[in-house]
Amino acid sequence: MTVLFMTSFSIIVAVGEFNGGVALSILKTIPIMWIIVMIIEPAIFGRIAESLAAKFTQPTDSFNAKIVFRILFTVLGMSAAMTLIGDIVGNGFRTKSSATGCRIGHATL
């Protein structure tokens, strides 16, 4: 579900509106995103989640506790990855920011 939401959101924000062309673009992009997800989840985030769950649980902890931690770490990792990948799909690869500056307090960076 995160894949569908982040892909759709990134494409709509990049275009600026939702219309038939945008909907068609989203429908074309979703299968590609699913393939990416099915590759990176077990290859990267599944392994990371497994090791983090082992660090946060004890061997005597219940199966449910271990699963909750694994789900938590998998969802957090995949959400971060799909946010990045969704932005790349929606906006393409850019080397320069479109913003003219970042305001922090009264200073402009």
Side-chain angles (χ1 to χ4, degrees):
M1 191 54 117
T2 303
V3 174
L4 178 62
F5 176 74
M6 290 309 301
T7 302
S8 302
F9 180 75
S10 296
I11 292 172
I12 292 167
V13 167
V15 173
E17 66 179 354
F18 184 75
N19 56 33
V22 173
L24 186 59
S25 177
I26 290 170
L27 289 175
K28 289 179 183 177
T29 307
I30 294 297
I32 296 166
M33 298 302 288
W34 276 107
I35 292 169
I36 292 169
V37 166
M38 293 302 142
I39 292 171
I40 67 171
E41 194 283 321
I44 299 171
F45 295 106
R47 294 177 184 174
I48 293 171
E50 184 90 20
S51 65
L52 286 173
K55 288 182 181 181
F56 283 94
T57 58
Q58 300 295 323
T60 57
D61 287 341
S62 71
F63 176 76
N64 291 341
K66 293 176 184 181
I67 289 297
V68 165
F69 275 105
R70 179 139 191 225
I71 290 170
L72 174 71
F73 293 129
T74 300
V75 168
L76 289 174
M78 288 301 292
S79 294
M82 293 315 296
T83 299
L84 177 67
I85 293 169
D87 181 52
I88 291 169
V89 168
N91 299 317
F93 290 102
R94 289 183 284 169
T95 57
K96 293 183 180 181
S97 175
S98 61
T100 57
C102 175
R103 289 187 65 105
I104 301 175
H106 295 292
T108 301
L109 300 177

